[in-house]
């Protein structure tokens, strides 16, 4: 792996092969560390991690894994290892077969120093709560899974979630019953989760974008073309105004580009 941006102050010697050696977990964790003080009003920092093909597809045949690589999955694990909570949509939970995040020894000391639990909580966004609460995601997590719903969720589904051990919170009280994505970072911050990571899917990311609460995008660009009619990484309502982001870093490995963009605050 090599860093393309910011440009290294001391170019690596090609004869040593150092530019193509895998980075250690500590190096990656330092590169992707959360800022100490979020600038958002919510008090939380919301980062998205997505992968896209060269032609803009967010998945192949409904799943993102075919677009991934070993290094992409390594970074995926590091981002989880740094987060307080991982925010996902209900459809992604169903499509990708989500399981609880696991504790990893490599991040234990770092997490303990920051007062984090051994593993991040998974926070599932679902207005209807049409989820299988018998799945390990709800019955076997190290940290209770959070279910974020709207104001009109059926009480029997809320009871089923609570009975499975999930922690149900409300984000939005409107008559539509929809989850107000703009309030999700603040709701999770109230639970003590301020380092947030969303892994999608595209509809959830689009809603965070249009709500104006996304602080950072970590986008892996895979050197593949898939054609088809797959969604883009953010697939939903049009933002009222394009939100400007600044390039923070670019890493390259085996043709994959691992980019980070941070929101520009006035």
């Amino acid at each position: 792996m090599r860093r393309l941006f910011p440009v290294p102050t001391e170019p690596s010697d090609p004869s040593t092969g150092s530019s193509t050696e895998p980075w250690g977990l500590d190096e990656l964790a330092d590169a992707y560390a959360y800022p100490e003080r979020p600038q958002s009003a919510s008090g939380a920092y919301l980062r998205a991690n997505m992968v896209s093909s060269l032609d803009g597809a967010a998945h192949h045949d409904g799943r993102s894994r075919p677009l991934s690589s070993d290094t992409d999955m390594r970074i995926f694990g590091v981002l989880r290892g740094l987060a307080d909570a991982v925010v996902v949509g209900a459809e992604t939970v169903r499509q990708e077969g989500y399981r609880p995040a696991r504790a990893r020894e490599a991040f234990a000391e770092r997490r303990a120093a920051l007062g984090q639990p051994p593993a991040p909580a998974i926070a599932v966004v679902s207005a209807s709560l049409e989820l299988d609460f018998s799945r390990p995601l709800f019955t076997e997590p190290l940290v209770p899974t959070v279910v974020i719903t709207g104001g009109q969720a059926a009480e029997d589904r809320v009871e089923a979630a609570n009975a499975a051990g999930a922690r149900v919170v409300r984000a939005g009280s409107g008559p539509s019953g929809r989850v107000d994505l703009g309030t999700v970072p603040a709701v999770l911050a109230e639970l003590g989760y301020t380092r947030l990571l969303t892994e999608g899917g595209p509809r959830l990311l689009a809603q965070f974008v249009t709500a104006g609460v996304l602080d950072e995008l970590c986008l892996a660009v895979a050197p593949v073309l898939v054609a088809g009619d797959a969604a883009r990484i953010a697939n939903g309502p049009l933002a009222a105004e394009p939100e400007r982001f600044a390039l923070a870093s670019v890493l390259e490995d085996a043709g994959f580009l691992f980019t980070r963009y941070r929101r520009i605050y006035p």
Side-chain angles (χ1 to χ4, degrees), residues 125-128 148-153 170-184 207 237:
V125 178
S126 176
S128 67
I148 305 171
T149 193
Q152 304 299 320
R170 308 272 183 172
S173 57
S176 70
R178 294 176 182 172
V179 177
D180 181 356
L181 271 295
T183 68
V184 166
Q207 292 176 74

Side-chain angles (χ1 to χ4, degrees), residues 20-265:
T20 58
E21 292 176 357
W23 285 23
L25 292 180
D26 283 339
E27 290 176 287
L28 286 171
D30 289 342
Y32 284 93
Y34 280 83
E36 290 186 11
R37 294 179 180 83
Q39 291 182 264
S40 65
S42 69
Y45 189 89
L46 178 61
R47 159 187 286 168
N49 182 38
M50 299 292 285
V51 62
S52 169
S53 67
L54 290 175
D55 50 343
H59 57 77
H60 179 266
D61 197 23
R63 300 183 67 248
S64 60
R65 186 66 180 89
L67 303 182
S68 189
S69 68
D70 289 345
T71 300
D72 183 44
M73 294 307 297
R74 188 175 178 84
I75 292 174
F76 173 92
V78 168
L79 294 180
R80 280 195 164 199
L82 298 175
D84 294 335
V86 179
V87 189
V88 291
E91 185 61 24
T92 297
V93 167
R94 291 187 284 262
Q95 289 282 346
E96 303 280 353
Y98 259 61
R99 297 184 62 85
R102 59 189 178 90
R104 298 181 61 186
E105 183 61 32
F107 300 103
E109 185 175 340
R110 187 182 294 259
R111 294 185 68 86
L114 293 172
Q116 295 175 294
I122 303 295
V124 184
V125 178
S126 176
S128 67
L129 298 186
E130 290 301 322
L131 297 161
D132 183 355
F133 294 115
S134 68
R135 303 282 296 179
L137 175 62
F138 302 102
T139 61
E140 300 177 8
L142 280 174
V143 180
T145 294
V146 178
V147 179
I148 305 171
T149 193
Q152 304 299 320
E155 285 305 317
D156 63 325
R157 300 306 298 162
V158 172
E159 291 173 6
N162 287 327
R167 187 174 186 179
V168 180
V169 295
R170 308 272 183 172
S173 57
S176 70
R178 294 176 182 172
V179 177
D180 181 356
L181 271 295
T183 68
V184 166
V187 166
L188 289 173
E190 289 177 1
L191 301 181
Y193 300 139
T194 59
R195 302 171 187 89
L196 307 179
L197 170 67
T198 180
E199 298 169 350
R203 284 185 294 180
L204 181 66
L205 179 56
Q207 292 176 74
F208 279 133
V209 171
T210 56
V213 294
L214 186 69
D215 296 292
E216 180 179 313
L217 173 65
C218 298
L219 175 63
V221 180
V224 298
L225 295 167
V226 302
D229 57 359
R232 297 179 300 151
I233 63 166
N235 187 42
L238 182 69
E241 292 291 338
E243 192 77 57
R244 292 287 297 179
F245 283 69
L247 182 64
S249 66
V250 183
L251 306 177
E252 184 274 337
D253 183 74
F256 281 76
L257 295 179
F258 300 97
T259 69
R260 290 173 61 229
Y261 289 86
R262 284 184 171 173
R263 181 180 178 183
I264 300 173
Y265 280 90

